[in-house]
Every structure is written in structure tokens, then in C-alpha cells.
Amino acid sequence: MNITGSPEDAEDVLQETFLKAFEHLADFREDSRFYTWLVRIGVNQGLMKLRKRRGDKTVPIGEIEGEDGEVTPRDFADWRPNPEQLLERSELETILRNAAETLPPVFRSVFFCATWRDFRRKKRRSC
């Protein structure tokens, strides 16, 4: 469970480990102990499970069942900015634009180029 972080995934990894070991038993070279070979397969399976989980950004829609058996409906967050955040962003843009307008032309161009570069970086990261 240490690699996967969840008992269910650890059980899956254990099952996959023994299945892989059985399938490739003929490939076992006696260069190392059987235990070492089996542990290596288990670690590799655990890491593969983590890689698959990292790529999977889905969240089950079903309800959540707590340890006491009580079922609670899943709460979905709205990730869009709320009106207050939109207003703050708009005001900040206005303040920055007005401040940039007071700069000498050379500094103004540097400011806008740096701002545009940062904007493109953020846009690339979000894709």
C-alpha cells in the first residue's frame, strides 16, 4: 500500500504482480533470488498504477460512502471565477493599464512585452 496509497489499488497491484510473475515464470533467470525478482515486479506494477492514475483526471460521479456507512452526495465545485473575482481582475487590469500609460515609451514597451510573454506562458501551461 505504500506505493499506491490506497488499499484497493494495493490489492490490484498484488494480483497483477502474481499474474505477471506466473506468466513470466519461464523468463526467471536465477541471477537473483526469486523474492527479489517478485518484489521488483510488484514495484514496477505499483509505479505503473500510479502513472495510469496520474493521467486519469476523472472523478466518480456517484455518492460517497463514509466509514460509518452514511452516504453523502458528492459536491461539485464551480471552477469559474465568481463575480467578485471578475471585478477584482478587471479593476487590476485598469490600474495596471493606467500605470503603464504613465511610463516613458521605452519602459512601456518593455512592460507590455513582458506581460504578453507571461500571458503566453500561462496559456501554454493551461493547455
XYZ file of all heavy atoms in Angstrom, residues 26-112:
719
model
N 8.847 -18.650 -16.738
C 9.884 -19.266 -17.578
C 11.016 -18.280 -17.866
O 12.145 -18.698 -18.149
C 9.277 -19.754 -18.887
N 10.739 -16.988 -17.763
C 11.764 -15.976 -18.034
C 12.655 -15.700 -16.827
O 13.632 -14.959 -16.943
C 11.106 -14.658 -18.460
C 10.285 -14.804 -19.723
O 10.561 -15.734 -20.504
O 9.351 -13.991 -19.917
N 12.317 -16.270 -15.677
C 13.093 -16.012 -14.463
C 14.498 -16.580 -14.628
O 14.692 -17.763 -14.879
C 12.408 -16.627 -13.236
C 13.230 -16.541 -11.984
C 13.535 -15.316 -11.425
C 13.715 -17.687 -11.369
C 14.300 -15.228 -10.271
C 14.470 -17.613 -10.227
C 14.759 -16.380 -9.677
N 15.478 -15.675 -14.500
C 16.876 -16.103 -14.521
C 17.321 -16.196 -13.073
O 16.969 -15.351 -12.264
C 17.739 -15.079 -15.267
C 17.367 -14.944 -16.720
C 18.269 -13.934 -17.382
N 18.398 -12.713 -16.587
C 17.931 -11.525 -16.933
N 17.324 -11.383 -18.073
N 18.076 -10.481 -16.164
N 18.075 -17.146 -12.782
C 18.490 -17.355 -11.393
C 19.692 -16.495 -11.029
O 20.492 -16.873 -10.173
C 18.727 -18.836 -11.157
C 17.445 -19.638 -11.323
C 17.614 -21.106 -11.018
O 18.539 -21.471 -10.271
O 16.821 -21.871 -11.555
N 19.820 -15.336 -11.668
C 20.873 -14.382 -11.318
C 20.596 -13.780 -9.946
O 21.514 -13.372 -9.245
C 20.948 -13.244 -12.345
C 21.298 -13.750 -13.731
O 21.780 -14.886 -13.844
O 21.082 -12.985 -14.696
N 19.326 -13.669 -9.599
C 18.938 -13.099 -8.311
C 17.982 -14.070 -7.624
O 17.541 -15.059 -8.209
C 18.254 -11.744 -8.508
O 17.079 -11.911 -9.278
N 17.648 -13.737 -6.382
C 16.701 -14.588 -5.647
C 15.296 -14.391 -6.207
O 14.965 -13.327 -6.736
C 16.725 -14.233 -4.166
C 18.076 -14.574 -3.529
C 18.175 -14.195 -2.072
N 16.970 -14.538 -1.334
C 16.523 -13.849 -0.286
N 17.178 -12.798 0.131
N 15.425 -14.211 0.339
N 14.464 -15.400 -6.059
C 13.085 -15.332 -6.535
C 12.337 -14.192 -5.838
O 11.572 -13.461 -6.466
C 12.381 -16.672 -6.279
C 10.982 -16.713 -6.807
C 10.746 -16.839 -8.172
C 9.892 -16.609 -5.957
C 9.459 -16.867 -8.672
C 8.600 -16.625 -6.448
C 8.383 -16.769 -7.812
N 12.593 -14.024 -4.549
C 11.954 -12.961 -3.771
C 12.266 -11.584 -4.372
O 11.376 -10.753 -4.544
C 12.434 -13.037 -2.313
C 12.042 -11.848 -1.475
C 10.765 -11.762 -0.919
C 12.932 -10.805 -1.237
C 10.393 -10.671 -0.159
C 12.573 -9.711 -0.473
C 11.301 -9.649 0.066
O 10.933 -8.563 0.809
N 13.528 -11.355 -4.723
C 13.946 -10.080 -5.294
C 13.252 -9.838 -6.628
O 12.786 -8.730 -6.911
C 15.473 -10.066 -5.492
O 16.106 -10.410 -4.262
C 15.966 -8.714 -5.958
N 13.170 -10.870 -7.437
C 12.509 -10.780 -8.734
C 11.034 -10.435 -8.558
O 10.495 -9.562 -9.232
C 12.685 -12.115 -9.462
C 12.095 -12.195 -10.837
C 12.506 -11.528 -11.950
C 10.993 -13.007 -11.232
N 11.731 -11.880 -13.027
C 10.792 -12.798 -12.619
C 10.176 -13.912 -10.573
C 9.796 -13.441 -13.340
C 9.186 -14.555 -11.288
C 9.002 -14.310 -12.655
N 10.375 -11.086 -7.617
C 8.961 -10.866 -7.356
C 8.710 -9.451 -6.819
O 7.765 -8.773 -7.239
C 8.451 -11.915 -6.357
C 6.957 -12.069 -6.209
C 6.336 -12.438 -7.539
C 6.645 -13.133 -5.171
N 9.572 -8.983 -5.915
C 9.428 -7.626 -5.380
C 9.608 -6.595 -6.489
O 8.868 -5.610 -6.557
C 10.428 -7.385 -4.221
C 10.501 -5.911 -3.856
C 10.029 -8.209 -3.009
N 10.555 -6.836 -7.375
C 10.782 -5.904 -8.486
C 9.547 -5.811 -9.386
O 9.159 -4.734 -9.831
C 12.001 -6.377 -9.300
C 12.452 -5.417 -10.347
C 13.095 -4.197 -9.746
N 12.283 -3.029 -9.997
C 12.387 -1.873 -9.382
N 13.272 -1.703 -8.443
N 11.619 -0.878 -9.678
N 8.927 -6.956 -9.650
C 7.696 -6.952 -10.450
C 6.618 -6.150 -9.726
O 5.915 -5.340 -10.327
C 7.212 -8.398 -10.723
C 8.198 -9.124 -11.633
C 5.824 -8.386 -11.351
C 7.899 -10.597 -11.811
N 6.498 -6.345 -8.417
C 5.499 -5.622 -7.627
C 5.729 -4.121 -7.641
O 4.787 -3.333 -7.799
N 6.968 -3.701 -7.485
C 7.284 -2.274 -7.504
C 6.965 -1.689 -8.877
O 6.349 -0.616 -8.979
C 8.768 -2.037 -7.139
C 9.186 -0.612 -7.429
C 9.011 -2.376 -5.677
N 7.339 -2.398 -9.931
C 7.037 -1.914 -11.283
C 5.532 -1.803 -11.514
O 5.061 -0.838 -12.106
C 7.664 -2.827 -12.338
C 9.166 -2.670 -12.407
O 9.722 -1.682 -11.951
N 9.837 -3.675 -12.955
N 4.773 -2.788 -11.039
C 3.312 -2.741 -11.197
C 2.732 -1.567 -10.416
O 1.813 -0.891 -10.892
C 2.664 -4.054 -10.731
C 2.970 -5.227 -11.605
C 2.378 -5.083 -13.005
O 1.920 -4.037 -13.433
N 2.413 -6.153 -13.740
N 3.242 -1.322 -9.218
C 2.771 -0.190 -8.417
C 3.044 1.136 -9.097
O 2.187 2.030 -9.134
N 4.234 1.273 -9.670
C 4.585 2.505 -10.372
C 3.743 2.693 -11.635
O 3.325 3.803 -11.957
C 6.075 2.513 -10.715
C 7.013 2.569 -9.502
C 8.460 2.422 -9.944
C 6.810 3.845 -8.704
N 3.459 1.596 -12.321
C 2.599 1.682 -13.499
C 1.193 2.119 -13.101
O 0.552 2.903 -13.796
C 2.557 0.338 -14.231
C 3.814 0.058 -15.028
S 3.858 -1.561 -15.810
C 2.338 -1.616 -16.690
N 0.714 1.627 -11.967
C -0.621 2.015 -11.481
C -0.658 3.514 -11.191
O -1.623 4.186 -11.519
C -0.939 1.214 -10.215
C -2.322 1.372 -9.702
C -3.243 0.558 -10.527
C -4.519 0.263 -9.807
N -5.432 -0.477 -10.644
N 0.419 4.030 -10.581
C 0.482 5.468 -10.302
C 0.508 6.287 -11.581
O -0.134 7.330 -11.674
C 1.717 5.788 -9.460
C 1.672 5.357 -8.009
C 2.988 5.702 -7.327
C 0.514 5.990 -7.283
N 1.256 5.827 -12.579
C 1.311 6.538 -13.852
C -0.060 6.593 -14.507
O -0.470 7.622 -15.029
C 2.299 5.856 -14.803
C 3.656 6.496 -14.761
C 4.582 5.898 -15.803
N 5.699 5.357 -15.062
C 6.123 4.106 -15.104
N 5.557 3.239 -15.894
N 7.126 3.709 -14.376
N -0.774 5.472 -14.460
C -2.110 5.442 -15.044
C -3.040 6.369 -14.276
O -3.853 7.062 -14.865
C -2.674 4.024 -15.017
C -2.035 3.111 -16.019
C -2.607 1.719 -15.920
C -1.867 0.747 -16.813
N -2.320 -0.625 -16.601
N -2.919 6.379 -12.958
C -3.786 7.217 -12.134
C -3.492 8.696 -12.386
O -4.391 9.517 -12.409
C -3.590 6.909 -10.650
C -4.599 7.635 -9.788
C -4.368 7.517 -8.327
N -4.029 6.202 -7.849
C -3.330 6.000 -6.744
N -2.905 7.015 -6.025
N -3.042 4.778 -6.348
N -2.230 9.047 -12.576
C -1.853 10.432 -12.811
C -2.477 10.944 -14.104
O -2.905 12.080 -14.188
C -0.336 10.564 -12.892
C 0.131 11.981 -12.849
C 1.623 12.148 -12.838
N 2.330 11.101 -12.157
C 3.459 10.560 -12.586
N 4.012 10.977 -13.686
N 4.047 9.606 -11.920
N -2.558 10.107 -15.120
C -3.147 10.502 -16.385
C -4.660 10.541 -16.344
O -5.302 11.190 -17.153
N -5.246 9.858 -15.380
C -6.696 9.787 -15.276
C -7.193 10.881 -14.344
O -7.034 10.802 -13.142
C -7.106 8.413 -14.744
C -8.606 8.234 -14.675
O -9.320 8.974 -15.373
O -9.058 7.357 -13.926
N -7.796 11.913 -14.916
C -8.263 13.053 -14.127
C -9.765 12.961 -13.840
O -10.383 13.933 -13.474
C -7.980 14.364 -14.873
C -6.524 14.564 -15.190
C -5.736 14.873 -13.969
C -4.312 15.215 -14.372
N -3.355 15.038 -13.384
N -10.347 11.784 -14.024
C -11.775 11.651 -13.810
C -12.097 11.488 -12.334
O -11.284 11.007 -11.549
C -12.335 10.427 -14.564
O -11.670 9.252 -14.094
C -12.137 10.576 -16.052
N -13.286 11.901 -11.981
C -13.786 11.762 -10.617
C -15.106 11.025 -10.705
O -15.974 11.398 -11.498
C -14.009 13.151 -9.965
C -14.609 13.011 -8.585
C -12.720 13.925 -9.922
N -15.290 9.964 -9.926
C -16.557 9.248 -9.998
C -17.719 10.164 -9.597
O -17.616 10.949 -8.662
C -16.391 8.095 -9.004
C -15.215 8.422 -8.183
C -14.387 9.399 -8.951
N -18.826 10.044 -10.305
C -19.970 10.902 -10.056
C -20.816 10.386 -8.898
O -21.546 11.142 -8.284
C -20.821 11.032 -11.338
C -20.011 11.765 -12.394
C -22.128 11.761 -11.084
C -20.718 11.948 -13.698
N -20.688 9.141 -8.582
C -21.524 8.535 -7.544
C -21.373 9.194 -6.185
O -20.546 10.063 -5.960
N -22.208 8.765 -5.278
C -22.187 9.322 -3.934
C -21.052 8.714 -3.127
O -20.572 7.627 -3.423
C -23.528 9.049 -3.262
C -24.668 9.749 -3.983
C -26.023 9.386 -3.404
O -26.157 8.292 -2.845
O -26.937 10.211 -3.528
N -20.634 9.421 -2.095
C -19.521 8.992 -1.258
C -20.083 8.286 -0.025
O -20.967 8.814 0.650
C -18.677 10.197 -0.808
C -18.199 10.982 -2.030
C -17.500 9.752 0.037
C -17.614 12.333 -1.684
N -19.540 7.106 0.258
C -19.975 6.394 1.452
C -18.885 6.505 2.505
O -17.740 6.138 2.267
C -20.251 4.921 1.133
C -20.834 4.170 2.307
C -21.270 2.768 1.931
O -21.633 2.536 0.771
O -21.228 1.911 2.822
N -19.247 7.059 3.652
C -18.285 7.245 4.734
C -17.997 5.950 5.461
O -18.596 4.899 5.196
N -17.055 5.994 6.408
C -16.682 4.811 7.173
C -17.842 4.285 8.015
O -17.939 3.093 8.274
C -15.485 5.124 8.069
C -14.204 5.348 7.297
C -13.040 5.656 8.220
O -13.172 5.508 9.434
O -11.992 6.051 7.689
N -18.723 5.193 8.433
C -19.858 4.784 9.254
C -21.024 4.283 8.410
O -22.080 3.950 8.937
C -20.316 5.942 10.143
C -20.676 7.192 9.349
O -20.479 7.170 8.111
O -21.138 8.160 9.954
N -20.842 4.219 7.080
C -21.880 3.725 6.195
C -22.844 4.798 5.730
O -23.745 4.528 4.943
N -22.674 6.026 6.205
C -23.568 7.111 5.814
C -23.179 7.604 4.424
O -22.020 7.842 4.128
C -23.458 8.252 6.820
C -24.464 9.346 6.582
C -24.408 10.409 7.672
O -24.197 10.052 8.845
O -24.556 11.572 7.316
N -24.179 7.750 3.582
C -23.951 8.184 2.206
C -24.160 9.686 2.111
O -25.165 10.213 2.564
C -24.913 7.459 1.240
C -24.743 7.981 -0.178
C -24.680 5.966 1.291
N -23.164 10.374 1.541
C -23.287 11.816 1.336
C -23.165 12.099 -0.154
O -22.312 11.524 -0.832
C -22.187 12.586 2.090
O -20.914 12.077 1.686
C -22.327 12.446 3.580
N -24.014 12.965 -0.674
C -23.915 13.285 -2.107
C -22.633 14.047 -2.401
O -22.135 14.789 -1.570
C -25.145 14.148 -2.375
C -25.597 14.621 -1.042
C -25.085 13.664 -0.014
N -22.093 13.819 -3.581
C -20.859 14.488 -3.988
C -21.149 15.953 -4.288
O -22.149 16.285 -4.906
C -20.275 13.807 -5.219
C -18.927 14.367 -5.619
C -18.276 13.552 -6.689
N -17.939 12.215 -6.282
C -16.855 11.877 -5.589
N -16.023 12.804 -5.205
N -16.604 10.637 -5.281
N -20.274 16.816 -3.826
C -20.412 18.251 -4.044
C -19.469 18.643 -5.176
O -18.265 18.402 -5.102
C -20.060 19.019 -2.768
C -20.299 20.501 -2.897
O -21.146 20.891 -3.713
O -19.630 21.266 -2.176
N -20.012 19.214 -6.234
C -19.202 19.616 -7.375
C -18.903 21.102 -7.289
O -19.798 21.914 -7.100
C -19.929 19.313 -8.691
C -20.077 17.852 -8.940
C -21.259 17.196 -8.635
C -19.024 17.121 -9.450
C -21.395 15.849 -8.847
C -19.144 15.765 -9.667
C -20.335 15.118 -9.369
N -17.640 21.413 -7.424
C -17.209 22.819 -7.334
C -17.317 23.490 -8.693
O -17.053 22.876 -9.722
C -15.769 22.893 -6.840
N -17.700 24.733 -8.680
C -17.725 25.542 -9.894
C -16.395 26.277 -9.959
O -16.090 27.110 -9.119
C -18.890 26.532 -9.840
C -19.026 27.325 -11.121
O -18.296 27.023 -12.089
O -19.870 28.237 -11.148
N -15.576 25.936 -10.952
C -14.222 26.475 -11.032
C -14.170 27.815 -11.741
O -13.118 28.440 -11.811
C -13.304 25.473 -11.746
C -13.168 24.226 -10.973
C -13.828 23.052 -11.190
C -12.363 24.002 -9.820
N -13.469 22.123 -10.253
C -12.564 22.679 -9.399
C -11.479 24.799 -9.097
C -11.918 22.128 -8.310
C -10.834 24.243 -8.003
C -11.060 22.929 -7.622
N -15.283 28.252 -12.270
C -15.283 29.552 -12.938
C -15.109 30.662 -11.904
O -15.521 30.518 -10.754
C -16.599 29.756 -13.683
C -16.768 28.801 -14.849
C -18.101 29.009 -15.489
N -19.124 28.632 -14.499
C -20.418 28.654 -14.717
N -20.875 29.054 -15.868
N -21.273 28.288 -13.789
N -14.507 31.769 -12.305
C -14.356 32.879 -11.353
C -15.732 33.447 -10.993
O -16.612 33.546 -11.844
C -13.513 33.910 -12.096
C -13.399 33.444 -13.500
C -13.885 32.043 -13.586
N -15.880 33.809 -9.722
C -17.150 34.390 -9.295
C -17.163 35.881 -9.649
O -16.143 36.451 -10.034
C -17.382 34.147 -7.798
C -16.340 34.799 -6.926
O -15.839 35.871 -7.228
N -16.007 34.150 -5.815
N -18.309 36.551 -9.536
C -18.385 37.967 -9.925
C -17.386 38.857 -9.194
O -16.826 39.783 -9.786
C -19.826 38.346 -9.568
C -20.588 37.071 -9.638
C -19.628 36.016 -9.192
N -17.132 38.564 -7.927
C -16.163 39.371 -7.178
C -14.766 39.231 -7.774
O -14.041 40.220 -7.940
C -16.166 38.947 -5.706
C -15.245 39.768 -4.849
C -15.260 39.304 -3.387
O -16.113 38.490 -3.023
O -14.398 39.774 -2.649
N -14.384 38.006 -8.121
C -13.070 37.786 -8.718
C -12.966 38.456 -10.086
O -11.922 39.011 -10.438
C -12.794 36.282 -8.844
C -12.600 35.592 -7.520
C -12.590 34.070 -7.658
O -13.291 33.514 -8.498
N -11.798 33.418 -6.813
N -14.054 38.407 -10.862
C -14.057 39.071 -12.170
C -13.885 40.584 -12.016
O -13.144 41.212 -12.774
C -15.347 38.760 -12.922
C -15.516 37.319 -13.400
C -16.909 37.107 -13.962
C -14.456 36.967 -14.424
N -14.563 41.152 -11.031
C -14.452 42.589 -10.787
C -13.036 42.953 -10.343
O -12.452 43.921 -10.826
C -15.464 43.032 -9.731
C -15.439 44.519 -9.369
C -15.788 45.362 -10.585
C -16.371 44.802 -8.210
N -12.450 42.151 -9.429
C -11.074 42.407 -8.974
C -10.105 42.368 -10.144
O -9.232 43.234 -10.272
C -10.658 41.362 -7.937
C -11.261 41.546 -6.576
C -10.869 40.433 -5.609
O -10.021 39.584 -5.969
O -11.411 40.414 -4.506
N -10.256 41.366 -11.014
C -9.360 41.232 -12.157
C -9.512 42.430 -13.093
O -8.521 42.985 -13.574
C -9.657 39.939 -12.912
C -8.704 39.701 -14.067
C -8.966 38.421 -14.799
N -8.853 37.291 -13.894
C -9.522 36.147 -14.056
N -10.338 35.993 -15.062
N -9.362 35.154 -13.207
N -10.746 42.839 -13.328
C -10.998 43.990 -14.197
C -10.385 45.263 -13.618
O -9.753 46.046 -14.338
C -12.500 44.154 -14.389
O -12.783 45.325 -15.081
N -10.570 45.481 -12.313
C -10.001 46.670 -11.669
C -8.480 46.648 -11.711
O -7.834 47.667 -11.955
C -10.491 46.777 -10.230
C -11.947 47.173 -10.113
C -12.433 47.200 -8.674
O -11.718 46.707 -7.766
O -13.537 47.717 -8.450
N -7.892 45.470 -11.476
C -6.437 45.359 -11.512
C -5.910 45.650 -12.917
O -4.904 46.356 -13.081
C -6.000 43.966 -11.054
C -4.503 43.708 -11.027
C -3.804 44.671 -10.067
C -4.210 42.266 -10.640
N -6.587 45.134 -13.937
C -6.172 45.419 -15.312
C -6.228 46.918 -15.605
O -5.324 47.471 -16.240
C -7.066 44.659 -16.297
C -6.787 43.175 -16.355
C -7.776 42.433 -17.249
O -8.609 43.087 -17.937
O -7.723 41.203 -17.258
N -7.284 47.565 -15.132
C -7.423 49.014 -15.349
C -6.307 49.778 -14.652
O -5.695 50.680 -15.243
C -8.799 49.502 -14.845
O -9.820 48.767 -15.515
C -8.993 50.980 -15.098
N -6.025 49.415 -13.409
C -4.946 50.083 -12.651
C -3.607 49.894 -13.351
O -2.835 50.844 -13.519
C -4.897 49.551 -11.201
C -6.141 50.007 -10.431
C -3.629 49.991 -10.494
C -6.319 49.313 -9.083
N -3.321 48.660 -13.777
C -2.049 48.393 -14.447
C -1.953 49.109 -15.784
O -0.908 49.665 -16.137
C -1.862 46.887 -14.637
C -1.569 46.090 -13.377
C -1.540 44.602 -13.679
C -0.239 46.521 -12.765
N -3.035 49.121 -16.540
C -3.025 49.813 -17.829
C -2.784 51.305 -17.634
O -1.979 51.918 -18.351
C -4.339 49.573 -18.566
C -4.283 50.006 -20.013
C -5.538 49.672 -20.809
N -5.856 48.254 -20.802
C -6.939 47.724 -20.192
N -7.779 48.493 -19.558
N -7.155 46.433 -20.231
N -3.469 51.911 -16.659
C -3.276 53.340 -16.391
C -1.854 53.641 -15.931
O -1.261 54.645 -16.329
C -4.283 53.841 -15.352
C -5.701 53.865 -15.882
O -5.914 53.874 -17.095
N -6.664 53.863 -14.987
N -1.301 52.773 -15.087
C 0.074 52.969 -14.621
C 1.056 52.823 -15.775
O 2.027 53.584 -15.878
C 0.398 51.963 -13.517
N 0.799 51.865 -16.667
C 1.684 51.660 -17.814
C 1.635 52.846 -18.766
O 2.642 53.188 -19.398
C 1.316 50.372 -18.539
N 0.493 53.480 -18.875
C 0.351 54.641 -19.765
C 1.232 55.809 -19.298
O 1.633 56.635 -20.112
C -1.108 55.098 -19.825
C -2.052 54.101 -20.450
C -1.810 53.887 -21.932
O -1.370 54.833 -22.610
O -2.060 52.764 -22.393
N 1.529 55.885 -18.011
C 2.348 56.990 -17.499
C 3.844 56.740 -17.700
O 4.637 57.654 -17.493
C 2.080 57.216 -15.992
O 2.486 56.061 -15.266
C 0.608 57.504 -15.735
N 4.223 55.529 -18.077
C 5.639 55.208 -18.290
C 6.140 55.837 -19.584
O 5.373 56.028 -20.532
C 5.829 53.691 -18.375
C 5.579 52.881 -17.108
C 5.612 51.387 -17.431
C 6.609 53.211 -16.053
N 7.446 56.134 -19.633
C 8.029 56.576 -20.906
C 7.865 55.457 -21.945
O 7.792 54.278 -21.590
C 9.501 56.804 -20.574
C 9.554 56.952 -19.091
C 8.416 56.170 -18.547
N 7.804 55.795 -23.223
C 7.548 54.796 -24.270
C 8.479 53.580 -24.231
O 8.036 52.457 -24.462
C 7.719 55.579 -25.570
C 7.457 56.994 -25.198
C 7.908 57.148 -23.781
N 9.761 53.780 -23.934
C 10.703 52.654 -23.898
C 10.317 51.667 -22.799
O 10.245 50.454 -23.025
C 12.149 53.162 -23.670
C 13.095 52.007 -23.485
C 12.582 54.044 -24.817
N 10.045 52.183 -21.610
C 9.679 51.319 -20.494
C 8.300 50.684 -20.714
O 8.048 49.563 -20.318
C 9.692 52.080 -19.170
C 11.065 52.551 -18.773
C 11.272 53.862 -18.378
C 12.143 51.682 -18.782
C 12.531 54.300 -18.013
C 13.407 52.114 -18.414
C 13.607 53.426 -18.032
N 7.415 51.445 -21.338
C 6.069 50.931 -21.606
C 6.138 49.702 -22.520
O 5.470 48.700 -22.286
C 5.210 52.019 -22.248
C 3.758 51.647 -22.341
C 2.885 52.745 -22.914
N 3.312 54.073 -22.527
C 3.291 55.143 -23.304
N 2.820 55.057 -24.523
N 3.704 56.320 -22.887
N 6.974 49.777 -23.556
C 7.082 48.630 -24.472
C 7.670 47.413 -23.756
O 7.240 46.287 -23.983
C 7.915 48.996 -25.698
O 9.231 49.311 -25.326
N 8.646 47.644 -22.873
C 9.223 46.535 -22.102
C 8.152 45.917 -21.203
O 8.021 44.701 -21.116
C 10.434 47.016 -21.257
C 10.878 45.928 -20.296
C 11.579 47.440 -22.162
N 7.366 46.764 -20.545
C 6.307 46.282 -19.662
C 5.304 45.414 -20.418
O 4.970 44.311 -20.000
C 5.595 47.468 -19.001
C 4.395 47.075 -18.190
C 4.535 46.536 -16.928
C 3.114 47.243 -18.712
C 3.427 46.171 -16.182
C 2.000 46.877 -17.976
C 2.157 46.338 -16.708
N 4.838 45.909 -21.580
C 3.841 45.164 -22.332
C 4.422 43.880 -22.935
O 3.740 42.865 -23.003
C 3.191 46.043 -23.396
C 2.177 46.987 -22.823
C 2.366 48.355 -22.884
C 1.037 46.505 -22.191
C 1.433 49.223 -22.344
C 0.098 47.366 -21.652
C 0.296 48.732 -21.721
